[in-house]
Amino acid sequence: LHEKACRTSSERITQVRPKLPLLRILQTAGAQGETFTLKQIIHYLGEYIVLKQLYDKEEQHMVYCEGDQLGDLLGRESFSVRDPSPVYDMLKRNVTPASV
Ligand SMILES: C[C@@H](c1ccc(Cl)cc1)n1cnc(-c2ccccc2)c1-c1c(C(=O)NCCN2CCN(C3CCCCC3)CC2)[nH]c2cc(Cl)ccc12
């Protein structure tokens, strides 16, 4: 997912810098570099969940992350992809704005 879209000076894609524990998770899912758009972070977290098989095969909207770095970051042992709030709360705590 290479989103180095070219922009005029006025438009900027907002990039953020994940803190180290989140960056490690993104790198496990194949992320390169240190700043990302939120869309990229969400993409890599989805890949990470699939890669580590954290979703329930029967109920595929359920993610069981106890004992995983993702669970430590979220402070939860499970969550449903239908309620994104715990994930976005975690992202707010684990990224810093990156002036591009
Ligand atoms: C709407 C979106 C979403 C996006 C953000 C949030 Cl906070 C919740 C929900 N979404 C809907 N289902 C999923 C999902 C479900 C199970 C396993 C992996 C992802 C996702 C998530 C994506 C994603 O980028 N999704 C697009 C393609 N996904 C479809 C689901 N596909 C899987 C479905 C289960 C079987 C394996 C493939 C993977 C590709 N990124 C996420 C990151 C996290 Cl921390 C949590 C969930 C997701």
Side-chain angles (χ1 to χ4, degrees), residues 19-65:
K19 292 178 183 168
L20 197 58
L22 176 58
L23 182 60
R24 271 202 295 266
I25 290 178
L26 303 179
Q27 288 172 337
T28 303
Q32 315 263 322
E34 300 200 341
T35 62
F36 304 92
T37 63
L38 279 183
K39 187 169 166 240
Q40 288 171 315
I41 292 177
I42 289 298
H43 165 79
Y44 285 118
L45 286 175
E47 293 292 297
Y48 177 86
I49 290 167
V50 173
L51 191 74
K52 306 256 330 243
Q53 312 233 336
L54 300 180
Y55 67 94
D56 185 297
K57 304 297 178 294
E58 304 306 313
E59 285 197 78
Q60 296 185 340
H61 71 95
M62 283 307 298
V63 177
Y64 293 93
C65 46

